[in-house]
Amino acid sequence: MWLLLAIASSLFLGVYDIFKKMSVNNNAVLPVLLIATLSGALLFTPFIILSAFVQGASQYNWYIPAASLYAHFLFFIKAVIVASSWILAYFAMKNLPITIVTPIRASSPVWTLLGAIIIFAERLTMWQWIGLVITIIAYYAFSLTGKKEGISFRKNRWVLFILLATLIGAASSLYDKYLTANFDRIAMQAWFSVYLVVVLLPVVLIFWYPRRKKLTPFRWHWAIPLIGITLIVADFLYFYALSYQDSLISLISAIRRGSVVTSFFLGAAIFHGERNIKIKGSILIFILIGIAIIILGS
């Protein structure tokens, strides 16, 4: 069951990348990120309030359990980690082709796998290893296509941004496994979404608002609130998958990063000017093969 949830999360994550690219093109990154995050937090706010004040709320599916002060502290730490990764990723998404950014971002299973083996002592079957290796090699091949588009992976700061975002994102995935094993996943997602706004608001007020007239101006786009909504759905399915005791974070992370398939095809169709589509499409075939082997090996 957790594999199906991971696949569904991957599909929504691919659509999330499309909305993100639409929103940051020729737009101010930080306010876009804040509004998108706020739209996600607003989905949970009514349920947080109802859960706290409505008698017998625990009987309903929308109930969000109370959390200890220590749990809130850990949820806030997660918000800080994710906000750091997102800020870097959003700037990279604005300045690089989506068919380059999403595959590099998808390389996080490499680092997640290493952390899962070291921290959680996860063990994979032979077929799972084969599928994961094929997927990782395909992700790496994606990054090499950037050279054909005049993007120097050693000198381009936006490539550095997306690489750092990927490493931080891998750390966040490992942290998610710990949180879902020790705390209610709905409470974690709800409060984490709220704390993201708390973390990002001062960043916008300090680093963007005073200099807004000198920087890229902010303009409203209909896709901005959809960023937060699709991410909420993707994360809900993701945390649900992690909540299964037999789930493997390394495999879930790899499947989740299969969102590159969705974002690639939609991105190539929507955003004109994307190059080397045939080469990247060929590499995608190997990603699909790798994911299929991972699923069958499970």
Side-chain angles (χ1 to χ4, degrees), residues 54-72:
V54 174
Q55 187 174 7
S58 59
Q59 301 176 5
Y60 299 96
N61 292 330
W62 47 259
Y63 176 69
I64 298 176
S68 66
L69 184 62
Y70 177 65
H72 279 279

Side-chain angles (χ1 to χ4, degrees), residues 37-58:
T37 303
L38 180 61
S39 67
L42 289 176
L43 290 178
F44 281 111
T45 302
F47 301 113
I48 292 175
I49 296 174
L50 290 173
S51 298
F53 296 102
V54 174
Q55 187 174 7
S58 59

Side-chain angles (χ1 to χ4, degrees), residues 19 36 72 77-78 126 133 143 148 232 238 269:
F19 287 144
H72 279 279
I77 294 299
K78 174 174 171 56
M126 180 188 70
V133 169
S143 67
K148 297 184 178 181
I232 289 296
Y238 165 62

